Amino acid sequence: MGIRLVKSFLTVGGWTLGSRVVGFVRDVMMAAYLGAGPVAEAFLIAFSLPNMFRRFFAEGAFNMAFVPMFSKKLEGGEDATEFARDAFNGLAAVLLVFTLIGTLAMPWLVWAMASGFVGDARFDLAVLFGRISFSYILFISLVALLSGVLNAFGRFTEASFVPVLMNLMFIAAMLMADRAGWDMGLTLAWTVPATGIAQLAFTWWSADRAGVKIRPRMPKLTPELKRLAIIAGPAVLAGGVVQINLLVGRQVASFTEGAVAWLSYADRLYQLPLGVVGIAIGTVLLPELSRRLRAGNLAGGQSAFNRGAEFALALTIPAAVALVVIAMPLTQVLFQRGEFGADDTANTALALAAYGLGLPAFVLHKVLQPLYYAREDTRSPFRFALWSMLVNVAFAVGMMPVIGFLAAALATTVSGWVMVWQLWYGSRRMGEAAQFDARFKSRLPRILLAAAVMGGVLWAMAVALGPALDARAWRWLALSALVGAGIVSYFGAGALIGAFRLGEFKAALRRKA
């Protein structure tokens, strides 16, 4: 692998891992305080609303169009800072209006997300929490834009610290609420906009230090912003398709009491490897490909693409195997306490295994999509997303009478693999920069074999450690031994058969340090 590229992956991945670990502590505390009851489900739906639209406006659509344009302006010595100012103020104006409309329309938004809540306490709670927390979309979308600016400058640390800050604030808020006797649901709801303000202040300060001085002013529709809007348009629509997939999943889950929480907790577990690898790949690869294509460096573009894919699969495939093989021990040890009972554990583990089957697909999205966005092609991913959405809806709705809430998780996985196939098939016309090289083709089967060896070791260890995993006094030690055996067996087998070279990771870590 290219050491500099892997170094960047490890920088973003390391901070993302820190964020996910702290976020997991947040979720363990939330499960203990609220379980899978009505307050938990209401808050999870309310919090998902601004996050859903954030992905729609900023991280998904806007940034996928903005980052390549900004990176190319930096590479070409153009006025990238003025372009960033115009984009920031234009996005802020749109979001202010949208925040006001969304807050007023909260009952309809909750109904669209979880119509199964209608008629019980969950609906009114979700509306209340949603109105408190919806302004988060304004702050976090602007944070996403400023993070894109920082990433284009190669300042990955500052942008990657932002989620850590959010999760630390949630943990502090829950500890304070428990000690002071505050209402836990309301505390969590009010913490949402507070974290948005803190994250915006931090990224604004970081961008200022990088030399991009953003100042609020009346937005103006420049020719560059018009071009940005034209490029972002299909990506906005594609983002809308992705959010429809999420809506379908939550609608299916909302008709089973507790299912929204089960899917959310399972989602948090599989998001740990997805975030560490997928976000690192997507964050680093898009500006890297944009710069190399702008410079006409097709060989460099191919190398970046292949090393990104290789790095992603070397870490994602074993994670997927682990999530499927030891879903029950993971869920039992990490979540089963307080208000979170044995039935909650079993159902969350089922959802986790279903998501685990799709984990490599979700990461490959992050590898393949930059091939299109770096070329300012947002139309093709939109078409692919439409077909993926149709598969998701048909599977989730069609299988719900057969397998219940689990249809939502499996539909996500099936549609994810459909999306990967389309992205790969469509990339064949892009020439050399989008082709898999000999090294990737040689290493992929070896990665699969090493992951299979690890899966066998995990299964045997889980059976042997079964009594210890059931014993409250020993379960953490048993889980640690289980995870340790998986890591050693995978990296040992992988190094032995040439799936990767440990020296590449060591060299990247030394340069990172």
Side-chain angles (χ1 to χ4, degrees), residues 50-327:
N51 278 301
M52 180 183 74
F53 287 112
R54 174 199 71 193
R55 299 184 188 105
F56 179 78
F57 275 114
E59 288 181 356
F62 195 88
N63 252 19
M64 287 300 182
F66 170 77
V67 170
M69 290 181 68
F70 185 80
S71 298
K72 288 175 182 178
K73 285 181 178 296
L74 280 179
E75 184 73 21
E78 303 172 33
D79 192 355
T81 298
E82 184 65 20
F83 174 61
R85 290 193 190 110
D86 290 337
F88 181 93
N89 288 292
L91 182 61
V94 172
L95 289 168
L96 280 169
V97 174
F98 186 79
T99 299
L100 178 61
I101 294 173
T103 302
L104 294 174
M106 190 54 60
W108 290 273
L109 290 177
V110 171
W111 178 84
M113 288 285 288
S115 59
F117 284 10
V118 175
D120 64 45
R122 294 178 297 173
F123 186 84
D124 292 336
L125 280 173
V127 171
L128 173 61
F129 295 162
R131 282 182 166 149
I132 293 170
S133 62
F134 196 71
S135 61
Y136 181 69
I137 184 179
L138 169 64
F139 306 118
I140 198 60
S141 295
L142 296 176
V143 167
L145 185 144
L146 292 174
S147 296
V149 169
L150 291 168
N151 291 336
F153 277 98
R155 301 176 73 109
F156 298 110
T157 299
E158 292 92 331
S160 301
F161 172 71
V162 169
V164 179
L165 176 62
M166 177 193 72
N167 289 318
L168 288 173
M169 290 180 68
F170 267 109
I171 291 171
M174 281 188 280
L175 291 173
M176 290 169 62
D178 182 52
R179 185 168 183 175
W182 300 340
D183 181 280
M184 190 62 71
L186 284 172
T187 298
L188 289 169
W190 281 110
T191 303
V192 174
T195 63
I197 294 170
Q199 290 173 92
L200 179 58
F202 177 77
T203 49
W204 194 321
W205 173 74
S206 299
D208 197 82
R209 288 183 62 204
V212 181
K213 300 185 182 298
I214 303 294
R215 299 294 180 265
R217 67 187 183 193
M218 290 297 294
K220 55 183 180 180
L221 190 59
T222 65
E224 287 296 308
L225 277 190
K226 289 180 183 178
R227 182 163 171 259
L228 176 62
I230 291 170
I231 296 172
V236 169
L237 296 174
V241 169
V242 172
Q243 302 317 315
I244 288 172
N245 288 341
L246 295 175
L247 283 174
V248 170
R250 290 193 176 94
Q251 285 286 9
V252 168
S254 70
F255 288 94
T256 302
E257 188 171 345
V260 169
W262 300 331
L263 290 175
S264 294
Y265 292 132
D267 177 86
R268 291 300 299 178
L269 277 177
Y270 95 84
Q271 285 286 342
L272 178 60
L274 176 59
V276 171
V277 182
I279 291 177
I281 294 293
T283 298
V284 175
L285 200 55
L286 180 55
E288 184 77 15
L289 279 175
S290 299
R291 283 194 295 268
R292 294 192 180 191
L293 291 177
R294 170 67 182 254
N297 183 4
L298 296 181
Q302 183 189 31
S303 177
F305 166 62
N306 276 271
R307 300 298 72 78
E310 186 180 319
F311 178 81
L313 294 178
L315 296 182
T316 304
I317 290 175
V321 171
L323 291 181
V324 173
V325 175
I326 59 170

Side-chain angles (χ1 to χ4, degrees), residues 263 265-274 313 315-328 330-331 347-364 406 408-414 416-417 448 451 454:
L263 290 175
Y265 292 132
D267 177 86
R268 291 300 299 178
L269 277 177
Y270 95 84
Q271 285 286 342
L272 178 60
L274 176 59
L313 294 178
L315 296 182
T316 304
I317 290 175
V321 171
L323 291 181
V324 173
V325 175
I326 59 170
M328 181 65 79
L330 281 171
T331 308
N347 287 311
T348 301
L350 281 173
L352 177 60
Y355 284 136
L357 293 171
L359 181 61
F362 307 143
V363 171
L364 284 171
L406 192 60
L410 283 174
T412 301
T413 289
V414 171
W417 281 110
L448 290 168
M454 183 204 71

Side-chain angles (χ1 to χ4, degrees), residues 362-408:
F362 307 143
V363 171
L364 284 171
H365 290 181
K366 304 292 187 182
V367 176
L368 292 165
Q369 282 178 332
L371 291 173
Y372 295 85
Y373 293 129
R375 292 168 171 80
E376 299 181 2
D377 175 11
T378 53
R379 296 178 183 271
S380 297
F382 169 58
R383 291 198 309 272
F384 303 154
L386 277 177
W387 285 110
S388 178
M389 178 198 72
L390 292 175
V391 170
N392 182 80
V393 172
F395 192 100
V397 175
M399 294 300 293
M400 183 176 69
V402 182
I403 57 177
F405 80 94
L406 192 60

